[in-house]
Amino acid sequence: MGSIGAEIQNAVDTHLKGPNKPLVKKLYEETGYRPLWFGNSNQAKTSELIQALHDPLFNYKNKSFDQRAIKHLFYLLDNHQVPPEKKAAVYARLDLLLTNAYYRLVRFIVQGDVDWQMVQEKMAKLKESNDIKAHWEMHPKALPPFEEMSRAAKEGDIKHYLESLLPMEERYKKLVKLLKDYRRMQKFPKIPYRNKVYKVGDRSKDILLIKKRLQISGDYPKNAPLNKVFDPALRDAVLTYQKRYLLKVTGMVDKTVTYYLNQPARNNIRAIIINLDKTKLYPKKFVNEYAEVNVPDFNLRYYKDGQRLLKMGVVVGRIDRPTPIFDDKIEYMVLNPTWTIPDNLIKRDLIHVLREEPDYLREHNIHVFRGNKEIEISPEILDPYEHSKKRVPFRFVQFPGESNALGRVKFMFPNKYAVYLHDTDNKSLMSRRYKVYSSGCMRVERPFDLMHILLEHAKGNYSQNDIAEIIASNKPSTIKLSKPIPVHILYFTVYEEDGLAYFKNDIYMYDQIIYESSQGHKKATFTVPKKRLITIKKQKKSQKPLSN
């Protein structure tokens, strides 16, 4: 093996390139350039690595990692097709390829192949092109310590070590399983577009195609009849499908449902892969108690000890005022909150509204202060500030009450974006399909359910009567938490829950930006498509003034 060691040393110095060269060189220096993947003692370790290189659990993008070259060299050696004088060089070449592939695989598992700096730059440029302030606090990971990575390469137990590196492990593994399912799916049958809406009792050859299509995706049972009759079993399948894709839940098949049914499986596969890429920005798991808002899903979930205690709808930021994606901790709650209108909303919304509705402040219980003194104000005084970079030198405060934009309770995690979770005075928005109507904050469907969970961590005891009395007083009251509760604002458009796969629309176009910043698909700039699911212009028309 001495000559193999010399060949390895020579190959490391002369042939190896790329970001892993220092890691590979240091590892071989530590082991005296001994082969890491040959000999009886290394067989299990080598087999584990070769399996891991093409296992979707670790390599869900089917990256090459020199697998073809590795396989070819093994074939030559196993079939005695290498002359004796060249064997040492071939063994060295193979050992080096395996070591480099190992580090490349670790790097992919931990960091992926998305240029997150490019993603951030594209998001920042949305401000220039579309007047959109998009924020996502990304935390790409560094590689694990060299000693930790190298221990597995030297001692074995490769699979166990690689699994220890998986980000958001539970979510990640579900996405990988989903990816395998969609890669195995047969081609979807094409369903003709008709003006007719199919419902229970209808008969058509199209219904047979719909049943076949929904059976492939698992919505229609495998043992259910494949015929031309729209029966209750098909209605149930359509309902499930509509819920999974956030379509209008009717149990009938119209042009919209047909459009979605005709989308090829490759679209689902791409979406799953993009969401797997996003997991690399997060740890292996969150702590044992936390709140999670998944923005494209319009839902808040509360978890404790691995169990979901709560799930409810949320209204999030509209397309031109997206809810920022970040992590924080809920520190306190405010009952009967006041709302101090942010400077940007005064300029973007309020000044314009006051010109058209001079009594708007009085009708909405909004008071104006200069310093601590309440004053009367006219639109003319505010005009110079509408397009100015200077801050408006007045405070506009909406007092507590039924018309308050924050409703009766807000959940505070002080942050630089001035966004938080809160109740709302406009409950009707919760019934909308796309709940994108706020100016960045997240309006909660059942705020008192969330409040009662958080009261377990309150400093002091609060009974239902205590809460009722505080609300009846119409005066602001703060309830501090003895234990801050983590809150994660996320952006996952694909997930699995309760045995079903859900695919949500890329409302802020972040998935597209990530895709166009990943290896093999990079584009220098991002262009917002002219046609979007929800247009900014349409949103502005339906937007209630001064919505938080």
Side-chain angles (χ1 to χ4, degrees):
M1 286 293 181
S3 59
I4 294 177
E7 293 284 357
I8 289 174
Q9 184 171 5
N10 178 59
V12 167
D13 292 333
T14 59
H15 296 303
L16 191 61
K17 297 176 183 177
N20 294 319
K21 180 171 181 175
L23 299 172
V24 176
K25 187 175 175 67
K26 186 177 178 182
L27 176 61
Y28 278 119
E29 284 174 350
E30 284 189 355
T31 57
Y33 290 95
R34 287 195 307 275
L36 291 163
W37 310 99
F38 294 109
N40 292 334
S41 61
N42 290 326
Q43 278 184 352
K45 178 176 67 172
T46 306
S47 177
E48 273 192 289
L49 175 58
I50 290 170
Q51 287 179 36
L53 288 171
H54 65 259
D55 186 343
L57 183 64
F58 308 119
N59 183 13
Y60 55 84
K61 287 190 176 180
N62 293 324
K63 289 186 168 291
S64 72
F65 297 134
D66 289 321
Q67 290 179 79
R68 184 176 292 180
I70 290 167
K71 189 175 180 181
H72 179 64
L73 291 179
F74 265 118
Y75 173 82
L76 294 178
L77 288 165
D78 290 345
N79 288 277
H80 310 292
Q81 295 189 19
V82 180
E85 68 274 13
K86 291 186 177 179
K87 269 194 175 181
V90 172
Y91 272 116
R93 169 75 173 149
L94 182 52
D95 206 79
L96 192 60
L97 282 175
L98 286 164
T99 303
N100 194 40
Y102 167 73
Y103 282 119
R104 289 170 71 188
L105 183 58
V106 169
R107 190 180 291 275
F108 178 71
I109 294 168
V110 175
Q111 298 179 331
D113 67 357
V114 176
D115 186 336
W116 296 110
Q117 183 60 39
M118 179 181 272
V119 172
Q120 292 282 26
E121 288 167 3
K122 289 176 179 176
M123 289 177 69
K125 286 178 180 174
L126 290 175
K127 174 65 182 161
E128 299 168 22
S129 61
N130 288 73
D131 195 24
I132 296 171
K133 285 186 180 178
H135 299 285
W136 187 334
E137 292 187 6
M138 296 177 175
H139 305 288
K141 298 191 200 77
L143 283 177
F146 172 79
E147 294 74 19
E148 182 186 299
M149 283 191 290
S150 302
R151 188 181 302 117
K154 287 188 281 189
E155 300 174 9
D157 206 8
I158 300 284
K159 186 177 181 184
H160 183 264
Y161 174 64
L162 296 179
E163 283 192 341
S164 76
L165 301 175
L166 297 179
M168 301 186 92
E169 186 171 16
E170 186 178 348
R171 185 187 302 259
Y172 180 99
K173 285 184 173 179
K174 286 179 178 180
L175 285 171
V176 169
K177 182 182 180 301
L178 200 56
L179 181 61
K180 290 178 182 176
D181 291 343
Y182 272 83
R183 279 177 170 162
R184 281 196 297 258
M185 281 181 188
Q186 63 195 83
K187 188 177 179 182
F188 296 152
K190 197 78 173 173
I191 300 160
Y193 286 99
R194 314 268 190 209
N195 286 324
K196 182 171 174 55
V197 177
Y198 292 113
K199 58 187 184 301
V200 172
D202 289 344
R203 296 178 66 91
S204 168
K205 59 184 179 182
D206 293 349
I207 291 169
L208 174 61
L209 294 174
I210 293 166
K211 285 186 172 183
K212 285 181 177 178
R213 165 63 182 84
L214 290 173
Q215 196 173 68
I216 291 170
S217 59
D219 299 279
Y220 188 67
K222 296 290 182 190
N223 57 355
L226 286 173
N227 54 33
K228 300 177 183 179
V229 181
F230 200 123
D231 50 27
L234 179 57
R235 180 179 181 275
D236 290 344
V238 172
L239 286 170
T240 300
Y241 185 84
Q242 288 170 331
K243 288 172 186 173
R244 294 200 299 118
Y245 283 84
L246 197 63
L247 302 174
K248 191 174 181 182
V249 181
T250 62
M252 298 182 284
V253 177
D254 58 10
K255 274 189 172 181
T256 301
V257 175
T258 301
Y259 169 80
Y260 276 81
L261 290 172
N262 280 334
Q263 295 302 299
R266 67 173 179 270
N267 290 6
N268 300 90
I269 290 168
R270 192 179 98 166
I272 296 165
I273 288 172
I274 292 167
N275 281 269
L276 277 163
D277 286 341
K278 283 180 260 186
T279 64
K280 299 185 190 299
L281 297 170
Y282 296 95
K284 192 171 188 65
K285 63 178 183 178
F286 294 142
V287 296
N288 72 324
E289 185 171 6
Y290 62 95
E292 171 186 302
V293 176
N294 189 14
V295 173
D297 181 41
F298 313 120
N299 269 304
L300 177 147
R301 295 167 177 84
Y302 196 100
Y303 294 95
K304 185 175 182 181
D305 299 328
Q307 300 296 313
R308 189 182 73 216
L309 303 184
L310 198 64
K311 178 182 175 182
M312 66 176 75
V314 291
V315 171
V316 300
R318 51 194 239 198
I319 302 304
D320 61 330
R321 300 180 186 181
T323 295
I325 311 300
F326 68 113
D327 305 292
D328 214 308
K329 290 183 178 180
I330 301 172
E331 297 177 13
Y332 60 95
M333 300 178 280
V334 180
L335 301 182
N336 298 325
T338 60
W339 179 38
T340 301
I341 302 171
D343 187 72
N344 68 317
L345 293 191
I346 295 171
K347 291 173 179 174
R348 295 172 78 169
D349 296 343
L350 184 60
I351 295 173
H352 172 74
V353 169
L354 287 176
R355 286 197 200 102
E356 297 183 356
E357 302 177 49
D359 291 334
Y360 186 88
L361 297 179
R362 180 179 54 79
E363 290 172 358
H364 291 82
N365 203 13
I366 298 172
H367 300 251
V368 187
F369 296 86
R370 177 187 280 136
N372 292 322
K373 183 181 178 183
E374 187 169 355
I375 62 168
E376 294 290 325
I377 201 160
S378 65
E380 292 74 27
I381 295 173
L382 295 171
D383 283 346
Y385 299 99
E386 187 171 14
H387 302 292
S388 170
K389 290 185 178 179
K390 291 183 179 178
R391 287 188 65 83
V392 177
F394 313 105
R395 281 187 303 120
F396 289 78
V397 182
Q398 188 176 39
F399 281 19
E402 293 302 322
S403 64
N404 188 283
L406 307 184
R408 287 296 186 178
V409 57
K410 66 178 178 178
F411 306 89
M412 294 300 295
F413 36 101
N415 60 83
K416 62 185 176 184
Y417 310 110
V419 302
Y420 32 83
L421 293 158
H422 63 79
D423 185 12
T424 178
D425 62 328
N426 191 357
K427 309 285 187 187
S428 65
L429 295 178
M430 291 295 172
S431 62
R432 302 286 179 92
R433 179 179 169 193
Y434 298 109
K435 302 176 181 66
V436 278
Y437 294 97
S438 84
S439 292
C441 281
M442 294 147 282
R443 309 179 201 173
V444 184
E445 184 178 19
R446 301 192 309 277
F448 288 96
D449 288 0
L450 178 59
M451 182 193 70
H452 284 303
I453 287 179
L454 292 174
L455 281 175
E456 292 180 14
H457 304 293
K459 289 182 178 179
N461 296 316
Y462 292 85
S463 66
Q464 286 190 341
N465 286 338
D466 294 333
I467 299 298
E469 285 178 13
I470 291 171
I471 291 171
S473 74
N474 221 29
K475 294 178 182 177
S477 181
T478 298
I479 299 176
K480 292 183 179 179
L481 303 184
S482 58
K483 171 189 172 184
I485 298 298
V487 57
H488 304 287
I489 318 301
L490 305 174
Y491 193 90
F492 282 94
T493 53
V494 183
Y495 62 89
E496 191 257 36
E497 186 173 61
D498 301 329
L500 291 174
Y502 291 85
F503 293 85
K504 304 297 180 178
N505 284 293
D506 183 17
I507 54 170
Y508 295 157
M509 303 300 296
Y510 294 168
D511 278 18
Q512 189 65 26
I513 290 174
I514 291 169
Y515 177 74
E516 292 179 9
S517 304
S518 63
Q519 200 172 80
H521 308 287
K522 284 186 180 179
K523 293 183 180 179
T525 58
F526 176 72
T527 305
V528 176
K530 289 181 180 178
K531 282 192 174 183
R532 295 188 65 174
L533 193 71
I534 311 154
T535 64
I536 292 173
K537 189 181 286 186
K538 186 178 178 183
Q539 275 213 296
K540 285 181 176 176
K541 282 183 180 177
S542 64
Q543 184 72 12
K544 182 179 175 183
L546 279 179
S547 59
N548 196 30

